[in-house]
Amino acid sequence: MENLAIGIIGGGQLGRMLAMAASRLGFKVIVLDPMVDCPAAQLCSDHIVADYDDEAALEVLAQRTRIITYEFENVPVATAHFLEAKTTIFPPSRALEISQDRLTEKQFFARCSIPTVPYWQIDNKQDLHAALMESGGTGILKTRRLGYDGKGQHWFNSAVSEVDMSKAMEAINHAPAILEGFIDFACEISVLAARSQKGVVEYFDIPQNIHREGILRCSQVPASIDDIIADQARDYTQRLLEALDYVGVIAVEFFVTKDGGLIANEFAPRVHNSGHWSEAVCCVSQFDQHIRAITGLTLVRPQRHGDCVMENLIGEDVAKLPELLGQENVLIHLYGKHEVRAGRKMGHFTRIF
Ligand SMILES: Nc1ncnc2c1ncn2[C@@H]1O[C@H](COP(=O)(O)OP(=O)(O)O)[C@@H](O)[C@H]1O
Ligand SMILES: [Mg+2]
């Protein structure tokens, strides 16, 4: 039975929810994560406590599982290549490689003829100066790598001085970056789609996402966008999936502009926070669909059986729990994190209408 196991790299809440879905489909799950008490370890059949580049540990994971997947896009590319030579890893390492760097990600969107925000490559203060001159003095400086939940970003909301620029470069540790033009969007949406090993693509209904301080706060389904925009967003996503020969669930974040245009922000080669609502209103959640895709099971169209809003419980938001527990149209999902910290995602809930 051991070879029916799935390996998951990364044991955060996404790994935990993937493990739950995999268990429900009868698979055993082994997680690899350096943190002893990571959220996924609590419900996996085994936990390999090791760093993501520990080849001996990766070797063990490959031997003890049939397929490997991952829950975050910063898995070292060398790790993915190492595993690829020994076993099957989905989504493909190319998706990982491209999405790890905001510059290559934007170039790849362009190759697929998907519009992106205006951007400039920033390697030093001179580049930043020149880019801000062109952008009209505003924009968002983002590190090319390792940013998430708004981290590694510096916003220039109004005209800036040389001192501000130096501080911004300091704040991102002079890491390679890009400056993005600021988009005054009407709303943000994301497309969650899955592609099977045979190339079948299925889409979840499109959520509308509200961020505060760079962190997703809530996702509402359906989004208040018209069908033309929804079709366009799915079409862009399909192009990306085909170009990457993708297998698994992908999330593509878009800005909807006030004149009805669509601009790709970024993509995540994994299940995504803006798809959590699917566990509450679809028989096949994003986690189920991902496990189906990577193991070669049939994908189904994830029909939605209700309108809903998913809200994250971030840091002290967990104080809302007693009240939420008393509400019958709310599905609560906690991640088993013991320590409450500001900005830390502790759980989420989905209110069904
Ligand atoms: N160019 C932009 N114009 C306007 N808002 C932006 C822009 N880039 C990012 N944001 C806002 O910040 C949020 C987080 O930025 P994002 O690039 O998605 O980084 P992360 O990798 O941290 O999710 C976005 O969802 C959006 O609300
Ligand atoms: Mg984002």
Side-chain angles (χ1 to χ4, degrees), residues 117 175 265 270:
V117 302
N265 173 24
R270 53 168 170 80

Side-chain angles (χ1 to χ4, degrees), residues 73 102 142 147-150 153 188 211 214 253 265-267 270 272:
E73 60 273 38
R102 292 189 193 276
K142 300 182 179 181
Y148 70 98
D149 285 350
Q153 295 191 9
E188 290 187 82
H211 294 83
E253 298 180 11
N265 173 24
E266 59 176 353
F267 77 88
R270 53 168 170 80
H272 194 256

Side-chain angles (χ1 to χ4, degrees), residues 265-317:
N265 173 24
E266 59 176 353
F267 77 88
R270 53 168 170 80
V271 288
H272 194 256
N273 196 169
S274 66
H276 288 359
W277 56 272
S278 59
E279 71 183 346
V281 292
C282 301
C283 290
V284 174
S285 72
Q286 63 164 343
F287 308 102
D288 300 316
Q289 193 84 310
H290 184 75
I291 298 297
R292 283 173 178 240
I294 65 166
T295 56
L297 297 174
T298 308
L299 299 189
V300 289
R301 195 167 71 79
Q303 277 195 57
R304 185 168 52 82
H305 300 286
D307 293 355
C308 62
V309 176
M310 185 281 318
E311 213 176 296
N312 276 331
L313 293 167
I314 298 172
E316 293 300 335
D317 289 348

